[in-house]
Amino acid sequence: MSPITVVEGRRLSLTNLDKVLYPETGTTKGEVLHYCTTTAGPLLAHLHDRPLSFLRYPDGPDGQRFFTKNVPPGTPSWVTTCEVPHSRSGPTRQVLLQDLPALVWAANLVVELHTPQWTRQAPGVADRLVFDLDPGDPATIVECCTAAQWLHDRLAADGLDVYAKTSGSKGLHLIVPVEPTPSERTTAYARSLAVEAAAALPDLVVHKMTKALRPGKVFIDFSQNAAAKTTAVAYTLRARATPTVSAPVTWDEIAACTDPQQLTFLFDEIEPRCARYGDLLAPLLDPDHARPLPAAASRRPGTARGEPRAGGSYRVRPRP
């Protein structure tokens, strides 16, 4: 029989806790559930009121993986769900992870957690803007850091704050808190900055998804701002060869990165980082940090820590 655990008054049947999900590190399903409980505070804060999409990998990252937005069969009645409109198929229901029992239930399914840039109160009206920086081999997260610093300064020139986390895969996610804005407009603004970055850093950045353009460069994916798209939430485990996490990072860490391992974080490193830094993405949860998008994208290069050189490289100035 599967062990029964009571979490904040909810009875949960937890299965296969000794099953190895990550053979390279020997990480078991029980350890994955333990990680989710110890990181529940910030993880639940960033999940709150955001409809969930699940990437399920019940047999580990080398097994079958499948993506679903629908409420999984067998979901307990006490797990919160919400209706989400869809222009083509009509409204559907998706899961909301609002408390620890629901998070443990979801973790028992073995999932990556993905959310849109809007909450259930205003579907399609974004309160966050996101850039997904994806390196094409042989480029790595090191090159992403250079592109990220350009975007940081460019966004600052438009009066916007920006926060960063690793994707938990190969790249970086940059997240900007914005006043409620239709997703069509956030997408258009993000696209304009991606195009501008590609023009300023032609040897480093591309803004088109075309695979032939991407080797050795950083693709700035702005499309995740679309209302129907989602992004891996902060602190989620990823279905990779090792139990990496989409981990918040500081801008000093980004500026200092010279090796991909410097910005690769396994699940057992997150609790010490939270103890040291707190939740580096906490400002995203405070409406006072949100700023309006500019009426139109101005064409000002990054100014605070560098500027484009001739030929498209980017010089990073040391912090004072």
Side-chain angles (χ1 to χ4, degrees):
M1 293 181 62
S2 301
I4 301 295
T5 299
V6 178
V7 181
E8 295 182 348
R10 302 293 190 185
R11 289 171 57 86
L12 292 166
S13 175
L14 304 181
T15 58
N16 302 318
L17 297 181
D18 293 330
K19 183 177 184 177
V20 174
L21 293 178
Y22 295 90
E24 190 168 319
T25 56
T27 304
T28 66
K29 184 177 177 182
E31 290 175 300
V32 166
L33 266 67
H34 178 72
Y35 165 76
C36 289
T37 60
T38 57
T39 319
L43 181 52
L44 284 169
H46 292 286
L47 289 168
H48 186 72
D49 274 353
R50 295 183 188 272
L52 258 293
S53 297
F54 298 109
L55 176 64
R56 298 184 61 179
Y57 56 111
D59 296 316
D62 295 328
Q64 182 184 19
R65 299 190 293 179
F66 51 98
F67 199 77
T68 180
K69 291 188 176 184
N70 296 324
V71 177
T75 298
S77 60
W78 46 261
V79 171
T80 304
T81 64
C82 69
E83 186 174 276
V84 177
H86 286 279
S87 58
R88 295 182 180 178
S89 62
T92 61
R93 296 203 72 81
Q94 291 180 227
V95 167
L96 296 166
L97 296 184
Q98 305 287 73
D99 54 30
L100 182 58
L103 178 61
V104 175
W105 162 78
N108 188 59
L109 299 177
V110 188
V111 292
E112 284 184 3
L113 303 171
H114 295 247
T115 59
Q117 314 314 319
W118 44 265
T119 67
R120 64 168 169 172
Q121 287 83 5
V125 179
D127 61 356
R128 297 179 180 180
L129 177 81
V130 65
F131 295 91
D132 181 3
L133 277 55
D134 185 14
D137 292 336
T140 67
I141 199 170
V142 175
E143 285 74 23
C144 290
C145 288
T146 301
Q149 290 175 93
W150 189 94
L151 284 167
H152 173 282
D153 295 334
R154 178 62 185 81
L155 289 158
D158 275 347
L160 299 171
D161 295 330
V162 57
Y163 302 88
K165 64 184 180 73
T166 67
S167 69
S169 178
K170 297 184 296 181
L172 283 174
H173 293 159
L174 305 186
I175 310 172
V176 180
V178 296
E179 293 181 356
T181 305
S183 294
E184 295 87 348
R185 187 163 170 237
T186 57
T187 302
Y189 174 77
R191 181 186 185 280
S192 72
L193 264 63
V195 171
E196 193 174 328
L201 309 173
D203 296 332
L204 178 67
V205 168
V206 294
H207 72 277
K208 295 182 179 179
M209 194 176 292
T210 308
K211 289 185 177 180
L213 300 175
R214 294 172 61 177
K217 295 190 176 184
V218 176
F219 169 48
I220 299 180
D221 184 357
F222 56 85
S223 69
Q224 291 175 30
N225 293 285
K229 295 293 187 70
T230 61
T231 304
V233 74
Y235 302 103
T236 189
L237 272 162
R238 301 304 304 267
R240 310 295 296 176
T242 58
T244 53
V245 172
S246 183
V249 293
T250 70
W251 284 101
D252 284 336
E253 288 177 305
I254 287 173
C257 182
T258 58
D259 185 290
Q261 289 304 309
Q262 293 173 274
L263 292 182
T264 301
F265 300 102
L266 300 184
F267 75 124
D268 56 359
E269 298 176 90
I270 301 305
E271 190 174 8
R273 283 183 63 82
C274 287
R276 179 181 179 184
Y277 294 114
D279 179 11
L280 290 168
L281 300 186
L284 296 173
L285 308 173
D286 182 354
D288 290 341
H289 285 269
R291 298 289 182 269
L293 288 187
S298 58
R299 293 193 173 273
R300 291 172 288 178
T303 56
R305 302 201 321 261
E307 66 273 352
R309 287 178 176 174
S313 64
Y314 193 75
R315 180 172 65 250
V316 179
R317 295 174 177 168
R319 292 177 178 271

